[in-house]
Amino acid sequence: MIRLFLDQPLSGGARLEPSPDQARYLTGVMRQGVGDEVLMFNGRDGEWRARLAEVSKRGCVLEAVEQTRKQAGTPDLELVVALVKRARLETIVEKAAELGCRRVRLAITRRTQADHTRVDRLQTIAIEASEQTGRLDVPDIVAPEKLDRILDAWPEGRRLMFCDEGGDVRPALEALPREAAAWSVLIGPEGGFAPEERERLRGLDFVTPVGLGPRILRADTAAISALTLWQAALGDWAP
């Protein structure tokens, strides 16, 4: 069944107005008509079965029928990733949503090559990935900020898994402490972290440096690998 994210309150009998793009997708692309049903979620009220109540040239109206799943949270997992080329960054955001991240925070490092990105486009990718994977929420995409400022404002109690390509670190599954906590995973730019960045990160008490194996990984491969390892060790994949 088609699933759509709609940032409107969901409750029995609620009448919902999809965006023009969503309405075109439902009625034009998927050929849905009055009486057909879809699944809706908004990140707050669980998942709801909704019926297509009205169709017109201006759009359509959905009516919420019943809740199919109650709202459930995802692990408190955040990805902090340095800006990389557009196609790879879009892949990273898509896979972060599929792998259960609550948030993707974009970072600017010493060796960052990409100097801008469309946060709205990345948010759309995160929404589409959440629709397709059955999530009940959508990860937030946070606008780019310098890594130093991110570290300066680091929240108390949150830990950071630093994927350190510089060597002299234990494998991720050995290095990660088995403790319940809010976590972030840090992935660097295509040129790696500058020596002064690596030195600062390794000196912070909330940072756990980890290795991702003997090979040099591209940023998108590193992000997918790191998030998978974290989920297997501490997240909702853990035994």
Side-chain angles (χ1 to χ4, degrees):
M1 189 179 292
I2 297 169
R3 294 182 83 243
L4 289 179
F5 173 80
L6 195 64
D7 191 13
Q8 298 176 27
L10 293 172
S11 60
R15 291 176 68 81
L16 312 165
E17 295 187 8
S19 69
D21 286 343
Q22 288 175 321
R24 282 192 293 270
Y25 171 73
L26 283 174
T27 61
V29 178
M30 301 305 294
R31 302 293 184 183
Q32 301 293 289
V34 172
D36 288 333
E37 294 185 339
V38 300
L39 294 174
M40 309 292 298
F41 68 104
N42 62 7
R44 304 181 298 275
D45 302 320
E47 181 183 75
W48 284 74
R49 181 168 57 86
R51 181 179 63 86
L52 195 54
E54 297 177 15
V55 176
S56 69
K57 293 181 179 180
R58 297 173 55 188
C60 63
V61 175
L62 292 160
E63 182 179 359
V65 177
E66 66 173 349
Q67 189 181 58
T68 55
R69 284 193 289 162
K70 292 184 177 181
Q71 189 66 33
T74 53
D76 194 351
L77 173 62
E78 171 188 78
L79 176 65
V80 182
V81 60
L83 291 177
V84 293
K85 292 177 181 177
R86 186 188 67 177
R88 294 192 182 278
L89 187 58
E90 290 181 355
T91 296
I92 289 170
V93 168
E94 178 185 69
K95 301 311 175 186
E98 293 179 10
L99 289 166
C101 281
R102 285 191 187 179
R103 188 181 310 103
V104 177
R105 187 178 296 278
L106 306 175
I108 301 170
T109 67
R110 301 285 197 280
R111 295 175 178 170
T112 295
Q113 295 178 3
D115 58 359
H116 68 279
T117 190
R118 284 188 55 192
V119 175
D120 60 339
R121 166 65 181 160
L122 296 177
Q123 189 68 65
T124 297
I125 290 171
I127 290 172
E128 291 173 352
S130 299
E131 290 171 342
Q132 293 166 6
T133 56
R135 286 185 63 153
L136 295 176
D137 59 349
V138 173
D140 293 324
I141 310 300
V142 182
E145 190 174 13
K146 289 185 177 180
L147 178 61
D148 283 338
R149 293 188 62 184
I150 293 174
L151 295 176
D152 288 342
W154 198 258
E156 184 177 355
R158 187 170 199 92
R159 297 199 57 85
L160 178 62
M161 173 178 161
F162 166 37
C163 299
D164 184 0
E165 75 280 8
D168 189 28
V169 288
R170 292 187 294 161
L173 290 179
E174 291 182 11
L176 287 172
R178 298 302 192 266
E179 62 183 56
W183 278 85
S184 298
V185 171
L186 175 61
I187 301 294
E190 293 169 338
F193 290 100
E196 62 271 23
E197 292 172 325
R198 184 170 180 262
E199 182 179 0
R200 182 185 183 189
L201 284 162
R202 292 189 65 126
L204 296 170
D205 58 6
F206 57 82
V207 170
T208 300
V210 306
L212 297 179
R215 288 164 292 279
I216 297 173
L217 304 179
R218 289 186 180 273
D220 49 344
T221 307
I224 294 167
S225 300
L227 294 173
T228 299
L229 288 167
W230 187 93
Q231 285 284 29
L234 298 170
D236 53 17
W237 293 12

PDB file of all heavy atoms in Angstrom, residues 126-138:
ATOM      1  N   ALA A 126      15.027  12.388   2.396  1.00  0.00           N
ATOM      2  CA  ALA A 126      14.814  11.712   3.676  1.00  0.00           C
ATOM      3  C   ALA A 126      13.352  11.304   3.846  1.00  0.00           C
ATOM      4  O   ALA A 126      13.050  10.220   4.349  1.00  0.00           O
ATOM      5  CB  ALA A 126      15.254  12.622   4.827  1.00  0.00           C
ATOM      6  N   ILE A 127      12.432  12.166   3.422  1.00  0.00           N
ATOM      7  CA  ILE A 127      10.999  11.846   3.512  1.00  0.00           C
ATOM      8  C   ILE A 127      10.673  10.643   2.633  1.00  0.00           C
ATOM      9  O   ILE A 127       9.998   9.696   3.068  1.00  0.00           O
ATOM     10  CB  ILE A 127      10.152  13.067   3.114  1.00  0.00           C
ATOM     11  CG1 ILE A 127      10.251  14.160   4.185  1.00  0.00           C
ATOM     12  CG2 ILE A 127       8.689  12.659   2.894  1.00  0.00           C
ATOM     13  CD1 ILE A 127       9.612  15.474   3.779  1.00  0.00           C
ATOM     14  N   GLU A 128      11.149  10.653   1.394  1.00  0.00           N
ATOM     15  CA  GLU A 128      10.849   9.551   0.476  1.00  0.00           C
ATOM     16  C   GLU A 128      11.415   8.233   0.989  1.00  0.00           C
ATOM     17  O   GLU A 128      10.751   7.188   0.901  1.00  0.00           O
ATOM     18  CB  GLU A 128      11.415   9.877  -0.909  1.00  0.00           C
ATOM     19  CG  GLU A 128      10.686  11.022  -1.602  1.00  0.00           C
ATOM     20  CD  GLU A 128      11.349  11.447  -2.894  1.00  0.00           C
ATOM     21  OE1 GLU A 128      12.472  10.948  -3.184  1.00  0.00           O
ATOM     22  OE2 GLU A 128      10.758  12.271  -3.623  1.00  0.00           O
ATOM     23  N   ALA A 129      12.615   8.263   1.552  1.00  0.00           N
ATOM     24  CA  ALA A 129      13.198   7.040   2.098  1.00  0.00           C
ATOM     25  C   ALA A 129      12.402   6.543   3.296  1.00  0.00           C
ATOM     26  O   ALA A 129      12.207   5.331   3.472  1.00  0.00           O
ATOM     27  CB  ALA A 129      14.655   7.283   2.494  1.00  0.00           C
ATOM     28  N   SER A 130      11.907   7.455   4.120  1.00  0.00           N
ATOM     29  CA  SER A 130      11.106   7.061   5.282  1.00  0.00           C
ATOM     30  C   SER A 130       9.775   6.460   4.852  1.00  0.00           C
ATOM     31  O   SER A 130       9.286   5.499   5.451  1.00  0.00           O
ATOM     32  CB  SER A 130      10.878   8.272   6.190  1.00  0.00           C
ATOM     33  OG  SER A 130      12.106   8.786   6.665  1.00  0.00           O
ATOM     34  N   GLU A 131       9.164   7.022   3.813  1.00  0.00           N
ATOM     35  CA  GLU A 131       7.914   6.470   3.286  1.00  0.00           C
ATOM     36  C   GLU A 131       8.112   5.033   2.817  1.00  0.00           C
ATOM     37  O   GLU A 131       7.287   4.156   3.067  1.00  0.00           O
ATOM     38  CB  GLU A 131       7.407   7.331   2.137  1.00  0.00           C
ATOM     39  CG  GLU A 131       6.902   8.706   2.569  1.00  0.00           C
ATOM     40  CD  GLU A 131       6.596   9.623   1.399  1.00  0.00           C
ATOM     41  OE1 GLU A 131       7.071   9.359   0.270  1.00  0.00           O
ATOM     42  OE2 GLU A 131       5.889  10.634   1.602  1.00  0.00           O
ATOM     43  N   GLN A 132       9.210   4.783   2.158  1.00  0.00           N
ATOM     44  CA  GLN A 132       9.437   3.484   1.543  1.00  0.00           C
ATOM     45  C   GLN A 132       9.870   2.419   2.535  1.00  0.00           C
ATOM     46  O   GLN A 132       9.620   1.234   2.322  1.00  0.00           O
ATOM     47  CB  GLN A 132      10.489   3.614   0.434  1.00  0.00           C
ATOM     48  CG  GLN A 132      10.023   4.448  -0.753  1.00  0.00           C
ATOM     49  CD  GLN A 132      11.151   4.845  -1.680  1.00  0.00           C
ATOM     50  OE1 GLN A 132      12.280   4.430  -1.518  1.00  0.00           O
ATOM     51  NE2 GLN A 132      10.828   5.673  -2.668  1.00  0.00           N
ATOM     52  N   THR A 133      10.507   2.822   3.630  1.00  0.00           N
ATOM     53  CA  THR A 133      11.051   1.838   4.562  1.00  0.00           C
ATOM     54  C   THR A 133      10.133   1.521   5.729  1.00  0.00           C
ATOM     55  O   THR A 133      10.468   0.696   6.570  1.00  0.00           O
ATOM     56  CB  THR A 133      12.407   2.316   5.118  1.00  0.00           C
ATOM     57  OG1 THR A 133      12.232   3.607   5.718  1.00  0.00           O
ATOM     58  CG2 THR A 133      13.438   2.425   4.024  1.00  0.00           C
ATOM     59  N   GLY A 134       8.991   2.171   5.818  1.00  0.00           N
ATOM     60  CA  GLY A 134       8.068   1.865   6.899  1.00  0.00           C
ATOM     61  C   GLY A 134       8.338   2.605   8.193  1.00  0.00           C
ATOM     62  O   GLY A 134       7.728   2.293   9.226  1.00  0.00           O
ATOM     63  N   ARG A 135       9.244   3.588   8.183  1.00  0.00           N
ATOM     64  CA  ARG A 135       9.470   4.388   9.389  1.00  0.00           C
ATOM     65  C   ARG A 135       8.222   5.168   9.755  1.00  0.00           C
ATOM     66  O   ARG A 135       7.407   5.510   8.895  1.00  0.00           O
ATOM     67  CB  ARG A 135      10.607   5.384   9.156  1.00  0.00           C
ATOM     68  CG  ARG A 135      11.976   4.802   9.131  1.00  0.00           C
ATOM     69  CD  ARG A 135      13.042   5.869   9.011  1.00  0.00           C
ATOM     70  NE  ARG A 135      13.056   6.779  10.163  1.00  0.00           N
ATOM     71  CZ  ARG A 135      14.140   7.437  10.566  1.00  0.00           C
ATOM     72  NH1 ARG A 135      15.275   7.296   9.911  1.00  0.00           N
ATOM     73  NH2 ARG A 135      14.083   8.253  11.605  1.00  0.00           N
ATOM     74  N   LEU A 136       8.125   5.505  11.045  1.00  0.00           N
ATOM     75  CA  LEU A 136       7.024   6.327  11.514  1.00  0.00           C
ATOM     76  C   LEU A 136       7.456   7.774  11.755  1.00  0.00           C
ATOM     77  O   LEU A 136       6.651   8.588  12.209  1.00  0.00           O
ATOM     78  CB  LEU A 136       6.443   5.744  12.803  1.00  0.00           C
ATOM     79  CG  LEU A 136       5.780   4.367  12.653  1.00  0.00           C
ATOM     80  CD1 LEU A 136       5.336   3.844  14.009  1.00  0.00           C
ATOM     81  CD2 LEU A 136       4.610   4.434  11.688  1.00  0.00           C
ATOM     82  N   ASP A 137       8.722   8.057  11.472  1.00  0.00           N
ATOM     83  CA  ASP A 137       9.219   9.421  11.598  1.00  0.00           C
ATOM     84  C   ASP A 137      10.149   9.696  10.429  1.00  0.00           C
ATOM     85  O   ASP A 137      10.435   8.822   9.619  1.00  0.00           O
ATOM     86  CB  ASP A 137       9.931   9.631  12.938  1.00  0.00           C
ATOM     87  CG  ASP A 137      11.114   8.679  13.114  1.00  0.00           C
ATOM     88  OD1 ASP A 137      11.254   7.737  12.302  1.00  0.00           O
ATOM     89  OD2 ASP A 137      11.906   8.869  14.055  1.00  0.00           O
ATOM     90  N   VAL A 138      10.621  10.930  10.359  1.00  0.00           N
ATOM     91  CA  VAL A 138      11.517  11.358   9.286  1.00  0.00           C
ATOM     92  C   VAL A 138      12.712  12.051   9.924  1.00  0.00           C
ATOM     93  O   VAL A 138      12.539  12.931  10.776  1.00  0.00           O
ATOM     94  CB  VAL A 138      10.818  12.332   8.314  1.00  0.00           C
ATOM     95  CG1 VAL A 138      11.806  12.897   7.299  1.00  0.00           C
ATOM     96  CG2 VAL A 138       9.669  11.635   7.599  1.00  0.00           C
TER      97      VAL A 138
END
